[in-house]
Every structure is written in structure tokens, then in C-alpha cells.
Amino acid sequence: PAAEFTWTIRVYYEDTDTGGIVFYANYLKFFERARTEWLRAAGVGQQALAQEMGMMFVVRSTALDYHAPARLDDELAVSVTVERLGAASVQFFQEAWRETTTGRQRLCSGRIKIACVDTQTLRPGAIPASVIDRIKTSAA
């Protein structure tokens, strides 16, 4: 099985609706932050990728399922798992959960596909070999 990376995020007032529940679209932000930290932990800085290699990652598609609400002040764990690595894209499975006295409570799960594009033309391009190697190493 693929390795799972986990990043912890606190729910702030700005993340919630008037009822104190996390606004559904904010899970996309949480997932983005976790993927960014996963890349950073793998040794891939997105600014360096853009500036030095002329490539960047963009979200191609998302599909999320909502299981239970997160609330103001909750501490969430957000996981990142590589499901499929292509020449120019990566598909992730991600989850957000809260630890409870009885174990993990899954709040949101989804699949996010990112594509590698040229920073100038925004056309799809191959993920640089050094980045592919780092992804493979961190996903193993």
C-alpha cells in the first residue's frame, strides 16, 4: 500500500459558517495545504518548481464526499495518499478526520487530480524526472 502523509489543521472561525460548522468548500483548502506540505516534506518546493523548472501543479478535478461536520476549534488530521502517478499528473486520495475517544471520525474524503503545466503557456507538460523520483520515494 502507498504511504500516507498526515498534516494537522485547526478549524478557525473564518473556516466556519454561522452555525460554527466548517463550510464545505474549505475542505478543498485543507486538502490543498496538506498536499503542499506533503510536497515540501518530499523536498519539492512549488516556488522552486515554477522558477527553476518552469512548471507548476494545478488542480484538474476534484470529487469530495462529506461524512460528518467539523466544528470551530476542532483539530483535524488531513491525509495525502498518492493513488496514481502519471507522466504529467498525480491523483490523490485525501481524508480529513477528527480523533475522538473511540478513534478516528472521518469527516470528508475525496479524490483530487493535479496536472503539471508550463508556467508560461499553461499547457500540460511532463512532471520533471527529479520531482517524479521524490514523489515515488515519498509515496512508497
Side-chain angles (χ1 to χ4, degrees):
E4 177 184 274
F5 174 86
T6 303
W7 187 253
T8 303
I9 294 173
R10 175 76 60 188
V11 174
Y12 295 109
Y13 186 76
E14 68 187 25
D15 299 319
T16 65
D17 60 18
T18 57
I21 293 173
V22 169
F23 181 65
Y24 73 95
N26 286 335
Y27 287 99
L28 291 169
K29 292 179 182 182
F30 299 160
F31 286 179
E32 177 77 28
R33 291 177 198 164
R35 285 193 314 276
T36 297
E37 294 303 330
W38 167 80
L39 274 172
R40 188 185 323 276
V44 179
Q46 294 200 64
Q47 278 297 103
L49 178 65
Q51 292 173 350
E52 297 166 14
M53 299 183 187
M55 302 302 282
M56 65 182 180
F57 289 118
V58 297
V59 173
R60 167 108 171 48
S61 63
T62 63
L64 301 182
D65 290 309
Y66 302 94
H67 307 282
R71 299 179 188 279
L72 180 64
D73 288 331
D74 280 352
E75 184 176 87
L76 309 182
V78 180
S79 64
V80 178
T81 304
V82 174
E83 279 192 322
R84 187 170 37 242
L85 176 60
S89 66
V90 185
Q91 181 172 298
F92 297 94
F93 178 72
Q94 292 191 255
E95 291 183 296
W97 69 87
R98 172 181 44 235
E99 293 292 338
T100 68
T101 55
T102 58
R104 283 184 177 181
Q105 180 183 25
R106 186 167 56 165
L107 307 171
C108 182
S109 61
R111 286 186 168 72
I112 293 84
K113 186 173 186 178
I114 62 169
C116 189
V117 299
D118 182 279
T119 57
Q120 299 301 308
T121 65
L122 301 180
R123 302 288 243 172
I127 300 170
S130 61
V131 175
I132 290 272
D133 290 343
R134 290 178 186 268
I135 290 172
K136 285 181 178 177
T137 300
S138 67

